[in-house]
Amino acid sequence: PFIVGADGIDKALFAALDAYGARLLDAYEVREALNCKPRTVTFWATSRQLSGVLPSKAAGWGFTAADVKAFVRRHYVVAAA
């Protein structure tokens, strides 16, 4: 079951992101949280929709929990009732 906050966003999603602490999340971890494909996450990063850091192509993208939360808040849409 979803526990929805006043903004309509599932609180468990943000709690799961907070559990990562200060370390960077990779595209696979963001994928798990947002239930999408890793290449979708990297597309969002390369198109500058999701903030992140790309130290090298071999290392891949890194994202802070705050980056992912800000992305979710910007892209969350409430469905009409």
Coordinates of all heavy atoms in Angstrom, one line a residue:
P1 N 0.8 -1.2 0.0 CA 0.0 0.0 0.0 C 0.9 1.3 0.0 O 1.9 1.3 0.6 CB -0.8 -0.1 1.3 CG 0.0 -1.0 2.2 CD 0.7 -1.9 1.2
F2 N 0.4 2.3 -0.7 CA 1.1 3.5 -0.7 C 0.7 4.4 0.4 O -0.5 4.5 0.8 CB 0.8 4.3 -2.1 CG 1.3 3.6 -3.3 CD1 0.5 2.9 -4.1 CD2 2.7 3.6 -3.6 CE1 0.9 2.2 -5.2 CE2 3.2 2.9 -4.7 CZ 2.3 2.2 -5.5
I3 N 1.7 5.1 1.0 CA 1.4 6.1 2.0 C 1.7 7.4 1.4 O 2.9 7.8 1.1 CB 2.3 5.9 3.3 CG1 2.0 4.5 3.9 CG2 2.0 7.0 4.3 CD1 2.9 4.1 5.0
V4 N 0.7 8.2 1.0 CA 0.8 9.4 0.2 C 0.9 10.6 1.1 O 0.1 10.8 2.0 CB -0.3 9.5 -0.8 CG1 -0.2 10.7 -1.6 CG2 -0.4 8.3 -1.7
G5 N 1.8 11.5 0.8 CA 1.9 12.7 1.6 C 1.0 13.8 1.0 O 0.2 13.5 0.1
A6 N 1.0 15.0 1.6 CA 0.1 16.1 1.2 C 0.4 16.5 -0.3 O -0.5 16.9 -0.9 CB 0.4 17.3 2.1
D7 N 1.6 16.3 -0.7 CA 1.9 16.6 -2.1 C 1.5 15.5 -3.1 O 1.6 15.7 -4.3 CB 3.4 16.9 -2.3 CG 4.3 15.8 -1.8 OD1 3.8 14.7 -1.5 OD2 5.5 16.0 -1.8
G8 N 1.0 14.4 -2.6 CA 0.5 13.3 -3.4 C 1.6 12.3 -3.8 O 1.3 11.3 -4.5
I9 N 2.8 12.5 -3.3 CA 3.9 11.6 -3.7 C 4.0 10.5 -2.6 O 3.9 10.8 -1.4 CB 5.2 12.4 -3.8 CG1 5.1 13.4 -5.0 CG2 6.4 11.4 -4.1 CD1 6.2 14.3 -5.1
D10 N 4.2 9.3 -3.0 CA 4.4 8.2 -2.1 C 5.6 8.4 -1.1 O 6.7 8.6 -1.6 CB 4.6 6.9 -2.9 CG 4.8 5.6 -2.0 OD1 4.5 5.7 -0.8 OD2 5.3 4.6 -2.6
K11 N 5.3 8.5 0.2 CA 6.4 8.7 1.2 C 7.4 7.6 1.2 O 8.5 7.8 1.6 CB 5.7 8.9 2.6 CG 5.0 10.2 2.7 CD 4.5 10.3 4.2 CE 3.7 11.6 4.4 NZ 3.3 11.7 5.8
A12 N 7.0 6.4 0.9 CA 7.9 5.3 0.9 C 9.1 5.5 -0.1 O 10.2 5.0 0.1 CB 7.2 3.9 0.7
L13 N 8.7 6.1 -1.2 CA 9.7 6.4 -2.3 C 10.8 7.2 -1.7 O 12.0 7.0 -1.8 CB 9.1 7.0 -3.5 CG 10.1 7.6 -4.5 CD1 10.9 6.5 -5.1 CD2 9.3 8.3 -5.6
F14 N 10.5 8.3 -1.0 CA 11.4 9.2 -0.5 C 12.2 8.6 0.7 O 13.4 8.8 0.9 CB 10.8 10.5 -0.1 CG 10.5 11.5 -1.2 CD1 10.7 11.1 -2.5 CD2 10.0 12.7 -1.0 CE1 10.4 12.0 -3.6 CE2 9.7 13.6 -2.0 CZ 9.9 13.2 -3.3
A15 N 11.5 7.8 1.5 CA 12.2 7.1 2.6 C 13.2 6.1 2.0 O 14.3 6.0 2.6 CB 11.2 6.3 3.4
A16 N 12.9 5.4 0.9 CA 13.9 4.5 0.3 C 15.1 5.3 -0.2 O 16.2 4.8 -0.1 CB 13.2 3.7 -0.8
L17 N 14.8 6.4 -0.8 CA 15.9 7.2 -1.3 C 16.8 7.7 -0.2 O 18.0 7.8 -0.3 CB 15.4 8.4 -2.2 CG 14.8 8.0 -3.5 CD1 14.1 9.2 -4.1 CD2 15.8 7.4 -4.4
D18 N 16.2 8.1 0.9 CA 16.9 8.6 2.1 C 17.8 7.5 2.7 O 18.8 7.8 3.3 CB 16.0 9.1 3.2 CG 15.3 10.5 2.8 OD1 15.9 11.2 1.9 OD2 14.3 10.8 3.3
A19 N 17.4 6.3 2.5 CA 18.2 5.1 3.1 C 19.5 5.0 2.5 O 20.4 4.4 3.1 CB 17.4 3.8 2.9
Y20 N 19.7 5.6 1.3 CA 21.0 5.5 0.6 C 22.0 6.5 1.3 O 23.2 6.4 1.0 CB 20.9 5.8 -0.9 CG 20.3 4.7 -1.7 CD1 19.0 4.7 -2.1 CD2 21.0 3.6 -2.0 CE1 18.4 3.7 -2.8 CE2 20.5 2.5 -2.7 CZ 19.2 2.6 -3.1 OH 18.6 1.6 -3.9
G21 N 21.5 7.4 2.1 CA 22.4 8.3 2.7 C 23.1 9.3 1.7 O 22.4 9.7 0.8
A22 N 24.3 9.7 2.0 CA 25.0 10.7 1.2 C 25.7 10.1 0.0 O 26.2 10.9 -0.9 CB 26.0 11.4 2.1
R23 N 25.7 8.8 -0.2 CA 26.5 8.2 -1.3 C 25.7 8.4 -2.6 O 24.5 8.6 -2.6 CB 26.8 6.8 -1.1 CG 25.6 5.8 -1.2 CD 26.1 4.4 -1.1 NE 25.1 3.4 -1.4 CZ 24.7 3.1 -2.6 NH1 25.3 3.6 -3.7 NH2 23.8 2.2 -2.8
L24 N 26.4 8.3 -3.7 CA 25.8 8.5 -5.0 C 25.1 7.2 -5.4 O 25.6 6.1 -5.2 CB 26.8 8.8 -6.1 CG 27.4 10.2 -6.0 CD1 28.5 10.3 -7.1 CD2 26.4 11.3 -6.1
L25 N 23.9 7.3 -6.0 CA 23.2 6.2 -6.5 C 23.5 6.0 -8.0 O 23.7 7.0 -8.7 CB 21.6 6.4 -6.5 CG 21.0 6.4 -5.1 CD1 21.3 7.7 -4.3 CD2 19.5 6.3 -5.3
D26 N 23.6 4.8 -8.5 CA 23.8 4.6 -9.9 C 22.4 4.5 -10.6 O 21.4 4.5 -10.0 CB 24.7 3.4 -10.2 CG 24.1 2.0 -9.7 OD1 22.9 1.9 -9.6 OD2 24.9 1.1 -9.5
A27 N 22.5 4.4 -11.9 CA 21.3 4.3 -12.7 C 20.4 3.1 -12.4 O 19.2 3.2 -12.4 CB 21.6 4.3 -14.2
Y28 N 21.0 2.0 -12.0 CA 20.2 0.8 -11.6 C 19.5 1.0 -10.3 O 18.3 0.6 -10.1 CB 21.1 -0.4 -11.5 CG 21.6 -0.8 -12.9 CD1 22.8 -0.4 -13.4 CD2 20.8 -1.7 -13.6 CE1 23.2 -0.7 -14.7 CE2 21.2 -2.1 -14.9 CZ 22.4 -1.6 -15.4 OH 22.8 -2.0 -16.7
E29 N 20.1 1.7 -9.3 CA 19.4 2.0 -8.1 C 18.3 3.0 -8.3 O 17.2 2.9 -7.7 CB 20.4 2.5 -7.0 CG 21.4 1.5 -6.6 CD 22.6 2.0 -5.9 OE1 23.1 3.1 -6.2 OE2 23.1 1.3 -5.0
V30 N 18.5 4.0 -9.1 CA 17.4 5.0 -9.4 C 16.3 4.2 -10.2 O 15.1 4.5 -9.9 CB 17.9 6.2 -10.3 CG1 16.8 7.1 -10.7 CG2 19.0 6.9 -9.5
R31 N 16.6 3.3 -11.1 CA 15.7 2.5 -11.8 C 14.8 1.8 -10.8 O 13.6 1.7 -11.0 CB 16.4 1.6 -12.7 CG 15.4 0.6 -13.4 CD 16.1 -0.7 -13.9 NE 16.4 -1.5 -12.8 CZ 15.6 -2.4 -12.2 NH1 14.3 -2.5 -12.5 NH2 16.0 -3.1 -11.2
E32 N 15.4 1.2 -9.8 CA 14.6 0.4 -8.8 C 13.6 1.3 -8.1 O 12.5 0.9 -7.9 CB 15.6 -0.2 -7.8 CG 16.4 -1.3 -8.3 CD 15.8 -2.7 -7.8 OE1 15.2 -2.7 -6.8 OE2 16.0 -3.6 -8.5
A33 N 14.1 2.5 -7.7 CA 13.2 3.4 -7.0 C 12.0 3.9 -7.8 O 10.9 4.0 -7.4 CB 14.0 4.6 -6.4
L34 N 12.3 4.2 -9.1 CA 11.3 4.8 -10.0 C 10.6 3.8 -10.9 O 9.7 4.2 -11.7 CB 11.9 5.9 -10.8 CG 12.6 7.0 -10.0 CD1 13.1 8.1 -11.0 CD2 11.6 7.6 -9.1
N35 N 11.0 2.5 -10.8 CA 10.4 1.5 -11.6 C 10.4 1.8 -13.1 O 9.4 1.9 -13.8 CB 9.0 1.2 -11.2 CG 8.4 -0.1 -11.7 OD1 9.1 -1.0 -12.0 ND2 7.1 -0.1 -11.8
C36 N 11.6 2.0 -13.6 CA 11.8 2.2 -15.1 C 13.1 1.5 -15.5 O 13.8 0.9 -14.7 CB 11.9 3.7 -15.3 SG 13.3 4.5 -14.5
K37 N 13.5 1.6 -16.7 CA 14.7 1.0 -17.2 C 15.9 1.9 -17.0 O 15.8 3.1 -17.0 CB 14.6 0.8 -18.7 CG 13.5 -0.2 -19.1 CD 13.5 -0.5 -20.6 CE 12.4 -1.5 -20.9 NZ 12.3 -1.8 -22.3
P38 N 17.1 1.3 -16.7 CA 18.3 2.1 -16.5 C 18.6 3.1 -17.6 O 19.0 4.2 -17.4 CB 19.4 1.1 -16.4 CG 18.7 -0.2 -16.0 CD 17.4 -0.1 -16.6
R39 N 18.3 2.7 -18.9 CA 18.6 3.6 -20.0 C 17.7 4.8 -20.0 O 18.0 5.8 -20.5 CB 18.6 2.8 -21.3 CG 17.3 2.3 -21.7 CD 17.4 1.7 -23.1 NE 16.1 1.0 -23.4 CZ 16.1 -0.2 -23.9 NH1 17.2 -0.9 -24.2 NH2 14.9 -0.8 -24.1
T40 N 16.5 4.6 -19.4 CA 15.6 5.8 -19.2 C 16.2 6.8 -18.2 O 16.2 8.0 -18.5 CB 14.2 5.3 -18.7 OG1 13.6 4.4 -19.6 CG2 13.3 6.5 -18.5
V41 N 16.8 6.3 -17.2 CA 17.5 7.1 -16.2 C 18.6 7.9 -16.8 O 18.8 9.1 -16.7 CB 17.9 6.3 -15.0 CG1 18.7 7.2 -14.0 CG2 16.8 5.7 -14.3
T42 N 19.4 7.2 -17.6 CA 20.6 7.9 -18.3 C 20.1 8.8 -19.3 O 20.7 9.9 -19.5 CB 21.6 6.8 -18.9 OG1 20.9 6.0 -19.8 CG2 22.2 6.0 -17.8
F43 N 19.0 8.5 -20.0 CA 18.4 9.5 -20.9 C 18.0 10.8 -20.2 O 18.3 11.9 -20.7 CB 17.2 8.9 -21.7 CG 16.4 9.9 -22.5 CD1 16.9 10.4 -23.7 CD2 15.3 10.5 -22.0 CE1 16.3 11.3 -24.4 CE2 14.6 11.5 -22.7 CZ 15.1 11.9 -23.9
W44 N 17.3 10.6 -19.1 CA 16.9 11.8 -18.3 C 18.2 12.6 -17.9 O 18.1 13.9 -17.9 CB 16.2 11.4 -17.0 CG 14.8 10.9 -17.3 CD1 14.0 11.2 -18.3 CD2 14.1 10.0 -16.4 NE1 12.8 10.5 -18.1 CE2 12.8 9.7 -17.0 CE3 14.4 9.3 -15.2 CZ2 11.9 8.9 -16.4 CZ3 13.5 8.5 -14.7 CH2 12.2 8.3 -15.3
A45 N 19.3 11.9 -17.6 CA 20.5 12.6 -17.2 C 21.1 13.3 -18.4 O 21.5 14.5 -18.3 CB 21.5 11.7 -16.5
T46 N 21.3 12.6 -19.5 CA 21.9 13.3 -20.7 C 21.1 14.4 -21.3 O 21.6 15.3 -21.8 CB 22.2 12.2 -21.8 OG1 21.0 11.6 -22.1 CG2 23.2 11.2 -21.3
S47 N 19.7 14.3 -21.1 CA 18.9 15.4 -21.6 C 18.7 16.5 -20.5 O 17.9 17.4 -20.7 CB 17.5 14.8 -22.0 OG 16.8 14.3 -20.9
R48 N 19.4 16.4 -19.4 CA 19.5 17.4 -18.3 C 18.1 17.6 -17.6 O 17.8 18.6 -17.0 CB 20.0 18.7 -18.8 CG 21.4 18.6 -19.3 CD 21.9 19.9 -19.8 NE 23.3 19.7 -20.2 CZ 24.2 20.6 -20.0 NH1 24.0 21.7 -19.4 NH2 25.5 20.4 -20.4
Q49 N 17.3 16.5 -17.6 CA 16.1 16.5 -16.8 C 16.4 16.1 -15.4 O 15.7 16.5 -14.4 CB 15.1 15.6 -17.4 CG 14.6 16.0 -18.8 CD 13.6 15.0 -19.4 OE1 12.6 14.7 -18.7 NE2 13.9 14.6 -20.6
L50 N 17.3 15.2 -15.2 CA 17.8 14.7 -13.9 C 19.2 15.1 -13.7 O 20.1 14.7 -14.5 CB 17.6 13.1 -13.9 CG 18.1 12.4 -12.7 CD1 17.4 12.8 -11.4 CD2 17.9 10.9 -12.9
S51 N 19.5 15.8 -12.6 CA 20.8 16.2 -12.3 C 21.7 15.0 -11.9 O 21.1 14.1 -11.2 CB 20.8 17.3 -11.2 OG 20.1 18.4 -11.6
G52 N 22.9 15.0 -12.3 CA 23.8 13.9 -11.9 C 25.2 14.2 -12.3 O 25.5 15.3 -12.8
V53 N 26.1 13.3 -12.0 CA 27.5 13.5 -12.4 C 28.0 12.3 -13.2 O 27.6 11.2 -12.9 CB 28.4 13.7 -11.1 CG1 28.3 12.5 -10.2 CG2 29.8 14.0 -11.4
L54 N 28.8 12.6 -14.2 CA 29.3 11.5 -15.0 C 30.8 11.6 -15.0 O 31.5 12.3 -15.8 CB 28.8 11.6 -16.5 CG 29.3 10.6 -17.5 CD1 28.7 9.2 -17.1 CD2 28.8 10.9 -18.9
P55 N 31.4 10.9 -14.0 CA 32.9 11.0 -13.9 C 33.6 10.4 -15.1 O 34.7 10.9 -15.5 CB 33.2 10.3 -12.6 CG 32.0 9.5 -12.2 CD 30.9 10.1 -13.0
S56 N 33.1 9.3 -15.6 CA 33.6 8.7 -16.8 C 32.6 7.8 -17.4 O 31.6 7.4 -16.7 CB 34.9 7.9 -16.5 OG 34.6 6.8 -15.8
K57 N 32.7 7.5 -18.7 CA 31.7 6.5 -19.3 C 31.8 5.2 -18.6 O 30.8 4.5 -18.4 CB 31.9 6.4 -20.8 CG 31.5 7.7 -21.5 CD 31.6 7.4 -23.0 CE 31.1 8.7 -23.7 NZ 31.1 8.5 -25.2
A58 N 33.0 4.8 -18.2 CA 33.1 3.5 -17.5 C 32.5 3.4 -16.2 O 31.9 2.4 -15.8 CB 34.6 3.1 -17.4
A59 N 32.6 4.5 -15.4 CA 32.0 4.6 -14.1 C 30.4 4.8 -14.2 O 29.7 4.3 -13.3 CB 32.6 5.7 -13.3
G60 N 30.0 5.4 -15.2 CA 28.5 5.7 -15.3 C 28.1 6.9 -14.5 O 28.8 7.5 -13.8
W61 N 26.8 7.1 -14.6 CA 26.2 8.3 -13.9 C 26.1 8.0 -12.5 O 25.8 6.9 -12.0 CB 24.8 8.6 -14.5 CG 24.8 9.3 -15.8 CD1 24.8 8.7 -17.1 CD2 24.9 10.7 -16.0 NE1 24.9 9.7 -18.0 CE2 24.9 10.9 -17.4 CE3 25.0 11.8 -15.2 CZ2 25.0 12.2 -18.0 CZ3 25.0 13.0 -15.7 CH2 25.1 13.2 -17.1
G62 N 26.1 9.1 -11.7 CA 25.9 9.0 -10.2 C 24.9 10.1 -9.9 O 24.9 11.2 -10.4
F63 N 24.0 9.8 -9.0 CA 22.9 10.7 -8.6 C 22.8 10.8 -7.1 O 22.9 9.7 -6.4 CB 21.5 10.2 -9.2 CG 21.6 10.0 -10.6 CD1 21.8 8.7 -11.1 CD2 21.4 11.0 -11.6 CE1 21.9 8.4 -12.5 CE2 21.5 10.7 -12.9 CZ 21.7 9.4 -13.4
T64 N 22.5 11.9 -6.5 CA 22.2 12.0 -5.1 C 20.7 11.8 -4.9 O 19.9 11.9 -5.8 CB 22.6 13.4 -4.5 OG1 21.8 14.4 -5.1 CG2 24.1 13.7 -4.7
A65 N 20.4 11.4 -3.7 CA 19.0 11.2 -3.4 C 18.2 12.5 -3.6 O 17.1 12.5 -4.0 CB 18.8 10.7 -1.9
A66 N 18.9 13.6 -3.2 CA 18.2 14.9 -3.4 C 17.9 15.2 -4.9 O 16.9 15.8 -5.2 CB 19.1 16.0 -2.8
D67 N 18.9 14.8 -5.8 CA 18.7 15.0 -7.2 C 17.4 14.2 -7.7 O 16.6 14.8 -8.4 CB 19.8 14.5 -8.0 CG 21.1 15.3 -7.9 OD1 21.0 16.5 -7.6 OD2 22.2 14.7 -8.1
V68 N 17.3 13.0 -7.2 CA 16.2 12.1 -7.6 C 14.8 12.7 -7.1 O 13.8 12.7 -7.7 CB 16.4 10.7 -7.2 CG1 15.2 9.8 -7.7 CG2 17.7 10.2 -7.8
K69 N 14.9 13.1 -5.8 CA 13.7 13.7 -5.2 C 13.2 14.9 -5.9 O 12.0 15.1 -6.2 CB 13.9 14.0 -3.7 CG 14.0 12.9 -2.8 CD 14.1 13.4 -1.4 CE 14.7 12.5 -0.4 NZ 14.9 13.0 0.9
A70 N 14.1 15.8 -6.3 CA 13.8 17.0 -7.0 C 13.2 16.7 -8.4 O 12.2 17.3 -8.8 CB 15.0 17.9 -7.2
F71 N 13.8 15.7 -9.0 CA 13.2 15.2 -10.3 C 11.8 14.7 -10.1 O 10.9 15.1 -10.9 CB 14.1 14.1 -10.9 CG 13.6 13.5 -12.1 CD1 13.8 14.1 -13.3 CD2 12.9 12.3 -12.0 CE1 13.3 13.5 -14.5 CE2 12.4 11.7 -13.2 CZ 12.6 12.3 -14.4
V72 N 11.5 13.9 -9.1 CA 10.2 13.4 -8.9 C 9.2 14.5 -8.6 O 8.1 14.6 -9.2 CB 10.2 12.4 -7.7 CG1 8.8 12.0 -7.3 CG2 11.0 11.1 -8.2
R73 N 9.6 15.5 -7.8 CA 8.7 16.6 -7.5 C 8.4 17.4 -8.7 O 7.3 17.9 -8.9 CB 9.4 17.5 -6.4 CG 9.3 16.9 -5.1 CD 9.8 17.9 -4.0 NE 9.8 17.3 -2.7 CZ 11.0 17.0 -2.1 NH1 12.1 17.2 -2.7 NH2 10.9 16.4 -0.9
R74 N 9.4 17.6 -9.6 CA 9.1 18.4 -10.8 C 8.2 17.7 -11.8 O 7.5 18.3 -12.6 CB 10.5 18.7 -11.5 CG 11.2 19.9 -11.0 CD 12.3 20.3 -11.9 NE 13.1 19.2 -12.5 CZ 14.2 18.7 -11.9 NH1 14.6 19.2 -10.7 NH2 14.9 17.8 -12.4
H75 N 8.3 16.3 -11.9 CA 7.6 15.6 -12.9 C 6.3 14.9 -12.4 O 5.7 14.2 -13.2 CB 8.5 14.5 -13.5 CG 9.6 15.2 -14.3 ND1 10.7 15.7 -13.8 CD2 9.6 15.4 -15.7 CE1 11.5 16.2 -14.8 NE2 10.8 16.0 -15.9
Y76 N 6.0 15.1 -11.1 CA 4.8 14.4 -10.6 C 3.6 15.2 -11.0 O 3.5 16.4 -11.0 CB 4.8 14.4 -9.0 CG 3.6 13.7 -8.4 CD1 3.5 12.3 -8.4 CD2 2.6 14.5 -7.9 CE1 2.4 11.7 -7.9 CE2 1.5 13.8 -7.4 CZ 1.4 12.5 -7.4 OH 0.3 11.9 -6.9
V77 N 2.6 14.5 -11.5 CA 1.4 15.1 -12.0 C 0.2 14.4 -11.3 O 0.1 13.1 -11.3 CB 1.2 14.9 -13.6 CG1 -0.1 15.4 -14.1 CG2 2.4 15.5 -14.3
V78 N -0.7 15.2 -10.8 CA -1.9 14.6 -10.1 C -2.9 14.4 -11.2 O -3.3 15.3 -12.0 CB -2.4 15.6 -9.0 CG1 -3.7 15.1 -8.4 CG2 -1.3 15.9 -8.0
A79 N -3.5 13.2 -11.2 CA -4.5 12.8 -12.2 C -5.8 13.5 -11.7 O -6.1 13.7 -10.6 CB -4.7 11.3 -12.2
A80 N -6.6 13.9 -12.7 CA -7.9 14.5 -12.5 C -8.8 13.5 -11.9 O -8.9 12.4 -12.3 CB -8.5 15.1 -13.8
A81 N -9.6 13.9 -10.9 CA -10.5 13.0 -10.2 C -11.8 12.9 -10.9 O -12.2 13.6 -11.7 CB -10.8 13.5 -8.8

